[in-house]
Amino acid sequence: MAAAARVIAIAGNSTAAASSCLLIKTPFALQRCSNGLRFNNVRRSSKRLFSCNAIYNPQVQIKQEGQPETLDYRVFFEDTSGKKISPWHDVPLHLGDGVFSFIVEIPKESSAKMEVATDELYTPIKQDTKKGKLRYYPYNINWNYGLLPQTWEDPSLANSEVEGALFGDNDPVDVVEIGESRRKIGDILKVKPLAALAMIDEGELDWKIVAISLDDPRASLVNDIDDVEKHFPGTLTAVRDWFRDYKIPDGKPANKFGLGNRAANKDYALKVITETNESWAKLVKRSIPARELSLV
């Protein structure tokens, strides 16, 4: 069984090791090296490797199947032997020193609603559908948007700190990356969390972690929520309002937000990441029923 073949690998510094659970398929192994973490080298592939800023020498490439903006379009992740891997399960979350992997699903200034297909083998990125039709946002999203791998918002677990003790939305944790560069679908970035928004979407808790890529020119200036307000004024309000209102053009009510309708600070964001990483670990170890979710 593929999920059972995963092994626990604790990576990064001692602080990260104490709080993280990295489950990786056996073809991969993380090693310590002079400049951080890297995947063991495996046979070189002739396919073009995409630039990844999150992981040192990750040896991860993406393969597109089908045509963009069609029902068949998929973006798969592969190792250099050509073996498919899961961007949700096989890319490590923790990189040490409070830095995390972030996988881009939706590039900034685009409107196609791309997402990891959590119910398909190897969880490729695809365009979401509704009633058999491709979904688009009513207007472009203004930031790079995607997920934190190895996290899961457990739909059976209620969060007592958010008004209404809401349950998770059964997806990986979402990330809004506020850097200036427009990224590509499938890019893996190294980010640091700055804040968290507790979005309430049709009665479910849908966390939005606000983060910045470490290669952004202003990344060194922002380390917590107050820095965002100083160096990216109005951004947290803009993120909240965008996600509050994007369903209104479709005739749906505005989304709501817990925690007093305000963004929480970095420490709270790290708490959310830790808790959802723990939920993911239970999921892939089958301590919690997976139901329709793919663990491969």
Side-chain angles (χ1 to χ4, degrees), residues 139 143 145 153 159 161-166 174 176 195-210 235-248 253-264 268:
Y139 30 73
W143 311 273
Y145 187 58
E153 298 183 50
N159 189 313
E161 295 181 3
V162 177
E163 296 86 334
L166 300 172
D174 297 323
V176 181
L197 285 159
M199 192 175 92
I200 301 170
D201 184 358
E202 298 183 8
E204 296 177 333
L205 182 56
D206 185 4
W207 288 105
K208 309 296 181 188
I209 301 297
V210 178
T235 295
L236 291 173
T237 298
V239 170
R240 183 198 61 195
D241 291 354
W242 194 98
F243 284 97
R244 181 192 65 194
D245 298 339
Y246 80 90
K247 291 186 176 181
I248 293 176
N255 289 319
K256 298 180 180 179
F257 288 85
L259 304 180
N261 202 40
R262 298 174 61 86
Y268 201 97

Side-chain angles (χ1 to χ4, degrees), residues 209-225:
I209 301 297
V210 178
I212 191 165
S213 178
L214 294 196
D215 65 354
D216 187 82
R218 287 184 282 178
S220 63
L221 302 176
V222 286
N223 294 292
D224 209 330
I225 189 170

Side-chain angles (χ1 to χ4, degrees), residues 37 63 69 113 118 216 285:
L37 303 179
K63 179 182 178 182
E69 299 188 81
K113 193 175 186 303
T118 57
D216 187 82
K285 288 188 291 185

Side-chain angles (χ1 to χ4, degrees), residues 55-105:
I55 305 168
Y56 297 106
N57 301 319
Q59 305 299 317
V60 174
Q61 55 198 1
I62 66 170
K63 179 182 178 182
Q64 300 181 47
E65 296 186 5
Q67 294 298 316
E69 299 188 81
T70 68
L71 294 174
D72 296 328
Y73 182 64
R74 298 291 186 276
V75 177
F76 284 96
F77 287 60
E78 296 182 347
D79 64 22
T80 53
S81 70
K83 177 179 173 57
K84 289 179 178 176
I85 62 172
S86 166
W88 181 19
H89 301 309
D90 296 319
V91 174
L93 170 65
H94 292 267
L95 298 175
D97 297 325
V99 177
F100 300 85
S101 298
F102 159 58
I103 298 171
V104 178
E105 295 169 303

